[in-house]
Amino acid sequence: MNNKIIYFDNNATTRTDDRVVEAMLPYFSSYYANPSSLHSLGQTVKQIVETSRSKISSYLSSKPEEIIFTSGATEAINLAIKGIVETYSNKGRHIITSQTEHSAVLDVCKYLESRGFEIDYLRVSKEGLIDLTQLENQIRTDTILVAIMYVNNETGVVQPIAKIAEICNLNKVLFFTDATQAVGKLPINTSNCKIDLLCFSGHKFYGPKGIGGLYCKRNIKLNPLLHGGGHENGLRSGTLNVPGIVGLSKAFEIAHDEMQTNKEFIQSLRDKFERIILSQYNVKLNGHPKNRLYNVSNMSFKDIDPLLMISSLNDIAFSQGSACSSSSIKPSHVLTSMGVSYEEAFSSFRFSFGKYNSESEVDSVLSQLGKILKQKEKSNTII
Ligand SMILES: *Cc1c(COP(=O)(O)O)cnc(C)c1O
């Protein structure tokens, strides 16, 4: 294990909180029964699953029966969109989403297009926000679903979710939000705000990987992706991931209790990082200056070769573009949708901070970055 690595990639995934790991352990070796089993150990385990579900639902201001456990956000997104489309396709075959969604949403939409659905991809402003008037104008009588993410994973841009929900509600269109980067970082209230469906994933807020869920408002009918034993009210068959569910619930509890402290601390790190870079170097910040979550910094470095940057900062974990697209040579679709040029997109990097980071790590990265940029300036003056 490399303990020297500075981890500024908390939007890709987070280190699991030790308290989460500890809460999960008994559910591997003591309370390992299947919660569907009728014997007493099974029923004890079922009880903890239901307690966890209740706790999670209270943090989302929803009802326990509105929470469906899945393997993570990708599955919850597939369940939400395909599940809605299959049930409501008699009403229409039109869906509205945005150009800057996570690939899990965009790829489901592409698949549905191949099955005869019509999708409108809303453009975003230079700062990454959708236009509410454009949204309203695109809604038709055959629109069945609007899918707009809460917080963008690459830029941290926060969409006006309450207003989008209001528009959808007035027009009687269902509204799904991918809240994977919002849950655990922002207070979420599904009953005040008229959200119909919302997904989350444990590993994005110090919980375990492989567990997440979908909030789906009562009376909304979903078609399942998986058929089998009829678990989760028939919406997600398969033996429940009990340790994962317990860990997820613990991660929710910690995130809720420590939300304000984490926000203040993480924001102070991010702000220091940005303030120094922006004041000293030719760098452009990507994303709305105000409607942006406190933990992300996405910047285009104008005078620096991206390959030099990656090779020089090899003991720092950060992302070029998004984690999912960094293996391909295509520039980030999020940045290009915001009008960032190809060249600038290739020189853009995402630093996402978390509660396990420290100010000395920020200082260390700043000093390493400073060296690269100075080197570059020197070679420019020689030329
Ligand atoms: C990470 C992420 C996902 C995918 O989540 P998984 O649980 O890893 O499937 C979806 N949407 C957003 C915005 C994300 O950040």
Side-chain angles (χ1 to χ4, degrees):
M1 283 292 287
N2 185 352
N3 289 322
K4 288 235 179 71
I5 201 134
I6 294 180
Y7 190 77
F8 284 174
D9 202 15
N10 288 277
N11 273 20
T13 194
T14 52
R15 173 183 147 186
T16 313
D17 191 303
D18 291 340
R19 291 166 290 178
V20 168
V21 176
E22 202 182 319
M24 291 169 73
L25 288 176
Y27 297 91
F28 289 103
S29 24
S30 302
Y31 300 96
Y32 48 77
N34 190 322
S36 299
S37 296
L38 295 176
H39 49 68
S40 65
L41 191 55
Q43 291 305 295
T44 305
V45 173
K46 183 184 165 66
Q47 203 56 52
I48 188 73
V49 167
E50 294 316 318
T51 308
S52 303
R53 193 192 306 280
S54 289
K55 258 170 71 178
I56 292 168
S57 71
S58 73
Y59 294 128
L60 298 172
S61 304
S62 70
K63 301 189 186 69
E65 62 273 24
E66 295 174 320
I67 304 295
I68 306 151
F69 291 119
T70 65
S71 62
T74 301
E75 186 191 334
I77 289 166
N78 274 265
L79 175 59
I81 304 179
K82 291 178 191 162
I84 288 293
V85 150
E86 285 204 23
T87 336
Y88 293 88
S89 58
N90 54 345
K91 189 197 162 202
R93 298 173 76 81
H94 180 238
I95 297 169
I96 300 171
T97 184
S98 81
Q99 293 182 352
T100 55
E101 296 297 307
H102 189 273
S103 57
V105 170
L106 293 177
D107 286 355
V108 172
C109 288
K110 254 186 246 155
Y111 164 76
L112 290 174
E113 271 179 315
S114 78
R115 313 291 289 192
F117 286 84
E118 225 185 301
I119 321 276
D120 271 316
Y121 299 89
L122 297 179
R123 289 189 305 274
V124 297
S125 67
K126 277 197 166 63
E127 297 176 324
L129 289 171
I130 66 155
D131 177 346
L132 294 172
T133 317
Q134 199 199 356
L135 168 64
E136 257 180 311
N137 291 340
Q138 303 270 20
I139 295 179
R140 321 189 307 212
T141 50
D142 63 339
T143 307
I144 48 175
L145 181 69
V146 169
I148 305 286
M149 73 201 314
Y150 207 131
V151 173
N152 187 275
N153 48 303
E154 293 188 30
T155 58
V157 167
V158 183
Q159 299 292 349
I161 290 303
K163 289 189 184 131
I164 298 169
E166 198 66 45
I167 292 170
C168 292
N169 196 257
L170 284 172
N171 288 281
K172 299 195 164 51
V173 175
L174 293 173
F175 174 47
F176 162 64
T177 187
D178 172 0
T180 313
Q181 293 292 350
V183 168
K185 299 178 191 129
L186 291 175
I188 309 274
N189 190 318
T190 53
S191 50
N192 272 358
C193 184
K194 295 169 173 131
I195 297 168
D196 295 303
L197 304 109
L198 171 149
C199 72
F200 49 89
S201 181
H203 74 96
K204 298 292 175 86
F205 59 105
Y206 315 101
K209 293 170 183 61
I211 187 74
L214 179 68
Y215 154 78
C216 177
K217 191 178 274 173
R218 257 205 314 207
N219 302 328
I220 294 176
K221 284 209 174 62
L222 281 183
N223 233 43
L225 298 174
L226 305 182
H227 299 88
H231 308 76
E232 301 292 272
N233 286 325
L235 288 170
R236 207 281 187 174
S237 286
T239 301
L240 293 177
N241 173 359
V242 179
I245 291 167
V246 171
L248 178 66
S249 149
K250 190 70 186 174
F252 261 98
E253 178 193 312
I254 296 169
H256 175 264
D257 293 350
E258 299 172 3
M259 197 173 277
Q260 192 57 28
T261 336
N262 286 342
K263 174 184 184 291
E264 282 163 17
F265 172 65
I266 296 167
Q267 178 153 17
S268 75
L269 298 183
R270 197 274 311 261
D271 287 354
K272 176 176 186 183
F273 185 75
E274 278 187 357
R275 197 171 54 245
I276 293 180
I277 291 182
L278 289 170
S279 68
Q280 299 186 352
Y281 307 108
N282 189 11
V283 160
K284 181 176 137 257
L285 199 63
N286 296 311
H288 195 280
K290 290 219 176 64
N291 298 339
R292 196 160 62 102
L293 204 65
Y294 56 83
N295 73 318
V296 195
S297 203
N298 188 313
M299 296 186 274
S300 302
F301 289 77
K302 297 191 180 182
D303 300 330
I304 193 167
D305 174 358
L307 294 176
L308 173 70
M309 175 116 164
I310 293 164
S311 62
S312 310
L313 299 180
N314 65 358
D315 59 350
I316 299 161
F318 64 110
S319 287
Q320 183 186 24
S322 84
C324 307
S325 65
S326 56
S327 57
S328 71
I329 48 158
K330 271 166 68 181
S332 148
H333 70 281
V334 173
L335 297 179
T336 53
S337 299
M338 290 160 65
V340 174
S341 71
Y342 271 38
E343 204 187 334
E344 273 181 354
F346 280 122
S347 302
S348 295
F349 296 93
R350 177 188 73 184
F351 300 87
S352 45
F353 303 89
K355 67 178 182 180
Y356 292 119
N357 291 130
S358 65
E359 192 174 349
S360 66
E361 289 180 326
V362 170
D363 293 340
S364 162
V365 175
L366 283 170
S367 103
Q368 292 185 55
L369 261 175
K371 277 182 205 143
I372 307 172
L373 291 160
K374 288 219 174 65
Q375 238 175 27
K376 178 75 192 158
E377 272 162 20
K378 221 188 275 169
S379 64
N380 278 351
T381 44
I382 290 165
I383 293 162

